[in-house]
Amino acid sequence: MATILAIESSCDETSAAVCTDGRILSNFIAGQQVHEQYGGVIPELASRAHMQNIVPVVKAALVKSDCSLSAIDAIAFTQSPGLIGSLLVGAEFAKSLSLALDKPLIAVHHMQAHVLANLIPAAVGEKETPKPSFPFLCLTVSGGHTQIVRCESPTQLEVIGETIDDAAGEAFDKSAKLLGLPYPGGPLIDRHAREGDPTRFKFPEPKIPGLNFSFSGLKTSILYFLQNAGTSNVYKEEFKATVEEKHRFINENLPDICASIQYRIVSILLNKLKKAVDETGIKQVCLAGGVSANSSLRKTFLEKGIQYGWKTHIPAFEYCTDNAAMIAITGYYKFLNGQFSDLTVNASARAEW
Ligand code: KG4
Ligand code: ZN
């Protein structure tokens, strides 16, 4: 029996979870409202908030799981990638705890953890859903990354496609910013899009070779589209609309604009995923990452699964955005595989798998 305490602090959520033999006993997440007023995450404020949150969040996870520190077999933490100041708080906390308790330390890659969130079993009392069998493909879509990952086992993961510029979450958030919506705008685009017509406005799909993605062209075309008050999405020497006209156009058409942007982001993602399935022949297909909370992506992904005969999997909603439960499950598999780190391990903003 192995009980893992896991800590996640890569961006602007402080989270702690406890799992025993892969079953999540608790998963606490403290968000940080402080960034809203700045329209994006301010790294220095994020690390300060992590310092305030980490002790109460870890305590809450232990209390909810009814676990004492002495019952913990190992401490897993997010080592990379992320904001370095944020990562450092979780990493140093985990290392201190490991030293004080004389328990092994497990360094976890945040993006691998998003993928393995698909393996988290249902909570006690909830209906179990089938888990992906190996090998499987995972489309991981978050605020900082967009990847297609081939997963041979819980500890053998390979990135086979990724974005060459913006991530899908950034595409949502930057589009929302252009529309004057607050940060993070992804969930707001999702909400407005529910009332809108996704076929009303046309945004281009980029032609990127292989299994890679690009979203920066979409952002630029939305910028020009708004500056032309919807009449065109190409650059003009002089834009058609005044600032007032642009705002009026947005106000009068917000649901259709959001639905059309969302339609294009989702089609870029799922067309590449289909290509990956066709090239690899792997039909076990998962979604992961914060953007997999998007209602249109979830729905269209499941529809494509039925259409093309894929076995589709999406983690429970609370395990899609950043959380420590996914660090715990990844830590658990690394524990079984004997993959421990010593106290010289450092947090890293960027790291290979
Ligand atoms: O995985 P995540 O929680 O954090 C990172 O590791 O980046 O992903 C956060 C991203 C943000 O860009 C946020 O706008 C986006 O996920 N997101 C959504 C939705 N919920 C979260 N994007 C579109 N629709 C949503 N419902
Ligand atoms: Zn994430």
Side-chain angles (χ1 to χ4, degrees), residues 10-13 110-111 114 141-145 168-170 172-173 183-190 194 262 289-295 317 320-322:
S10 63
C11 190
D12 60 341
E13 333 267 0
H110 181 87
M111 297 313 295
H114 270 303
V141 275
S142 74
H145 294 80
E170 266 177 301
F172 271 109
D173 295 339
Y183 177 86
L188 296 171
I189 293 206
D190 191 354
R194 281 168 213 202
Q262 179 171 276
V291 182
S292 59
N294 181 268
S295 58
F317 211 73
C320 285
T321 45
D322 288 350

Side-chain angles (χ1 to χ4, degrees), residues 13-319:
E13 333 267 0
T14 321
S15 182
V18 176
C19 84
T20 293
D21 288 345
R23 195 161 287 280
I24 303 300
L25 304 182
S26 63
N27 178 43
F28 264 83
I29 305 171
Q32 303 179 357
Q33 266 76 42
V34 64
H35 308 289
E36 254 168 44
Q37 58 189 302
Y38 301 105
V41 177
I42 307 294
E44 178 60 28
L45 296 179
S47 49
R48 285 187 207 181
H50 283 305
M51 284 197 281
Q52 286 173 340
N53 292 342
I54 194 145
V55 171
V57 165
V58 169
K59 259 193 186 160
L62 288 168
V63 169
K64 170 86 195 302
S65 63
D66 212 9
C67 255
S68 63
L69 277 176
S70 58
I72 299 294
D73 295 301
I75 298 138
F77 70 101
T78 307
Q79 187 230 342
S80 71
L83 300 171
I84 190 64
S86 292
L87 288 165
L88 274 169
V89 177
E92 295 312 308
F93 188 89
K95 283 159 72 172
S96 311
L97 214 49
S98 157
L99 181 66
L101 300 173
D102 194 21
K103 297 284 160 97
L105 192 62
I106 302 170
V108 170
H109 193 289
H110 181 87
M111 297 313 295
Q112 293 188 1
H114 270 303
V115 175
L116 298 190
N118 280 285
L119 302 181
I120 295 176
V124 178
E126 277 178 22
K127 192 171 164 274
E128 191 55 273
T129 52
K131 297 293 165 238
S133 58
F134 296 98
F136 65 79
L137 295 181
C138 184
L139 171 66
T140 318
V141 275
S142 74
H145 294 80
T146 299
Q147 299 179 327
I148 299 178
V149 176
R150 181 187 174 118
C151 191
E152 295 288 338
S153 80
T155 52
Q156 280 176 286
L157 300 95
E158 184 197 357
V159 178
I160 58 171
E162 62 190 326
T163 183
I164 57 170
D165 42 53
D166 289 349
E170 266 177 301
F172 271 109
D173 295 339
K174 288 180 179 175
S175 306
K177 198 168 181 180
L178 292 173
L179 294 169
L181 299 172
Y183 177 86
L188 296 171
I189 293 206
D190 191 354
R191 198 177 315 148
H192 290 293
R194 281 168 213 202
E195 320 288 318
D197 173 3
T199 61
R200 167 106 185 270
F201 302 112
K202 302 272 178 283
F203 296 106
E205 177 156 358
K207 298 203 173 10
I208 307 297
L211 297 177
N212 289 337
F213 303 87
S214 166
F215 289 98
S216 65
L218 175 65
K219 181 190 63 191
T220 311
S221 94
I222 294 166
L223 176 74
Y224 296 157
F225 168 80
L226 296 175
Q227 286 174 338
N228 289 313
T231 53
S232 153
N233 54 26
V234 294
Y235 176 78
K236 301 257 161 74
E237 191 80 22
E238 275 196 31
F239 287 112
K240 277 246 164 65
T242 62
V243 173
E244 291 73 30
E245 283 166 341
K246 182 180 112 176
H247 287 167
R248 195 173 335 118
F249 171 72
I250 293 173
N251 284 337
E252 287 171 359
N253 298 284
L254 190 59
D256 288 349
I257 300 172
C258 288
S260 302
I261 293 172
Q262 179 171 276
Y263 171 84
R264 180 50 73 213
I265 296 175
V266 169
S267 78
I268 292 173
L269 291 171
L270 293 183
N271 287 344
K272 274 295 158 93
L273 186 58
K274 166 138 189 351
K275 191 167 192 258
V277 173
D278 292 347
E279 284 183 10
T280 60
I282 298 172
K283 291 197 164 193
Q284 290 279 335
V285 195
C286 302
L287 269 190
V291 182
S292 59
N294 181 268
S295 58
S296 167
L297 178 60
R298 293 171 88 89
K299 183 167 167 280
T300 320
F301 172 69
L302 296 175
E303 285 167 1
K304 297 270 176 216
I306 294 167
Q307 186 182 351
Y308 301 127
W310 304 346
K311 289 263 178 302
T312 47
H313 309 270
I314 311 178
F317 211 73
E318 68 268 33
Y319 304 139

